[in-house]
Amino acid sequence: MERLRVASLQYFIRPVQTFEQFRDQVQALVETAADYKAQLLVFPEYFTVQLLTLGNVKRPIREQVRDLAQQAERFSTLMEDLAKRHRLYIIAGTIPVMADGADRVYNESFFFSPTGTRGVQGKLHMTRFEKEEWKISPHVKFRIFETAFGRVAITICYDVEFPEIARAAGREGAHILVVPSCTDDRQGFLRVRYCAQARAIENQMYVVQSSTVGSLPMVPAVSLNYGQASILTPSDFSFSRDGILAEGTPNQESMVIGDLNLSTILRDRTHGTVLPLLDSHQTAEIVRQTEITPL
């Protein structure tokens, strides 16, 4: 496959009264992506918090998150069905998931193929509100997914701020990095966006960021959202100006769509103006020989 059409969502979270209302919103977006001939659709982190409004939002958020985790299998079934029905790959944002036989909760991203096969990437680094208020635990395994269009990795929001993860993916041949994100203010959004752009440059890969927009004022930690979806590229002559293939208007409900040239990204890794992924193999040796020099 030489070209891949990607759709990334600026997903508007709003209160829902039934699971079916949530399903209808999600289904309409998948149908729209399919109408535009997208082959990969990306939802943002924690867009599933809409489902918290089905319960008592006055309870401690730790309890609400565990109730949301009870919807994980129902949610998974919905997304699997949509991926199969529309014959596309879907990275289904994230949802809290309970560990078997324990009170431990993880933040997990489900990756569905057009056949309905499901892969899972858990979030590896917790933000303070996740760790201190939601009591969500980190995963410890990083996965790279083999697809019909090559290798793909997922770094969930805060995880993209740790460059070693994306570098490991690049060295294993991943040429697409997906960043489902959920940020409540401009500073938080820009931390993720700037790091996503850096990962595209450092590893000569495409980076697809999806964001939540809108608000749930009654739900702590997602009472506000600041977001902008984007499809980012390396900064070189073969790619879009400013390394931005597509981006949305901040804080508006929308879908950004772009065609990734997979041949170009592979060629850039060997014939680009600079070769940071290839040259990074020298970095490990340099770091081992670090010296502290008194003056």
Side-chain angles (χ1 to χ4, degrees):
M1 184 183 295
E2 185 170 337
R3 288 186 176 271
L4 177 75
R5 179 161 293 178
V6 174
S8 182
L9 289 168
Q10 284 178 201
Y11 185 95
F12 194 93
I13 58 171
R14 48 175 61 87
V16 293
Q17 296 178 334
T18 64
F19 184 89
E20 288 70 28
Q21 282 186 342
F22 170 77
R23 177 203 63 198
D24 291 347
Q25 181 177 347
V26 170
Q27 182 173 296
L29 291 167
V30 175
E31 290 170 353
T32 299
D35 287 344
Y36 279 90
K37 305 296 188 291
Q39 296 152 289
L40 170 65
L41 173 62
V42 181
F43 283 82
E45 180 188 34
Y46 285 135
F47 81 101
T48 49
V49 295
Q50 277 185 290
L51 296 171
L52 291 178
T53 59
L54 297 178
N56 178 4
V57 296
K58 300 300 183 184
R59 290 178 303 150
I61 190 63
R62 181 181 181 278
E63 296 177 14
Q64 293 187 59
V65 167
R66 278 146 182 79
D67 277 355
L68 178 56
Q70 302 302 318
Q71 300 275 9
E73 280 309 310
R74 189 179 188 186
F75 168 73
S76 178
T77 299
L78 167 65
M79 303 308 286
E80 177 187 341
D81 177 66
L82 290 170
K84 289 192 295 186
R85 189 188 318 167
H86 296 283
R87 303 295 299 168
L88 49 73
Y89 287 88
I90 298 177
I91 293 180
T94 74
I95 189 169
V97 175
M98 294 281 290
D100 291 336
D103 186 43
R104 187 168 295 174
V105 176
Y106 300 101
N107 182 14
E108 294 188 348
S109 181
F110 299 155
F111 188 1
F112 295 95
S113 77
T115 64
T117 304
R118 187 180 85 172
V120 179
Q121 176 61 61
K123 192 170 184 177
L124 304 170
H125 301 86
M126 296 297 105
T127 59
R128 290 191 62 188
F129 82 81
E130 288 176 296
K131 184 165 44 181
E132 297 171 11
E133 299 174 30
W134 291 27
K135 305 299 182 184
I136 295 182
S137 300
H139 268 282
V140 295
K141 182 172 288 188
F142 180 54
R143 293 183 168 90
I144 297 169
F145 300 95
E146 194 81 65
T147 73
F149 48 85
R151 293 181 178 177
V152 179
I154 301 170
T155 51
I156 301 169
C157 201
Y158 189 38
D159 284 340
V160 80
E161 298 181 33
F162 298 86
E164 301 88 349
I165 300 173
R167 175 54 48 83
R171 285 182 174 171
E172 290 296 330
H175 49 261
I176 299 174
L177 181 69
V178 175
V179 184
S181 66
C182 175
T183 49
D184 61 346
D185 56 34
R186 179 176 170 83
Q187 292 94 328
F189 162 74
L190 288 175
R191 285 194 295 270
V192 176
R193 170 60 180 263
Y194 290 159
C195 288
Q197 186 77 72
R199 303 299 86 86
I201 294 168
E202 293 162 352
N203 301 294
Q204 296 171 285
M205 56 172 45
Y206 294 112
V207 178
V208 182
Q209 182 181 358
S210 177
S211 297
T212 49
V213 298
S215 64
L216 292 174
M218 69 292 291
V219 179
V222 287
S223 55
L224 295 174
N225 281 274
Y226 189 106
Q228 180 185 34
S230 61
I231 302 172
L232 307 172
T233 76
S235 182
D236 210 339
F237 293 108
S238 300
F239 301 99
S240 306
R241 178 177 171 173
D242 302 327
I244 303 169
L245 178 60
E247 63 181 348
T249 301
N251 300 322
Q252 294 186 11
E253 184 172 24
S254 65
M255 176 186 298
V256 300
I257 299 172
D259 288 344
L260 309 187
N261 188 317
L262 305 180
S263 298
T264 300
I265 204 78
L266 294 175
R267 186 168 57 250
D268 188 60
R269 287 182 170 181
T270 54
H271 294 87
T273 303
V274 291
L275 305 174
L277 181 61
L278 179 64
D279 292 339
S280 71
H281 289 281
Q282 184 180 354
T283 307
E285 183 60 29
I286 292 171
V287 170
R288 276 196 295 269
Q289 298 182 39
T290 299
E291 294 182 356
I292 299 174
T293 303
L295 293 177

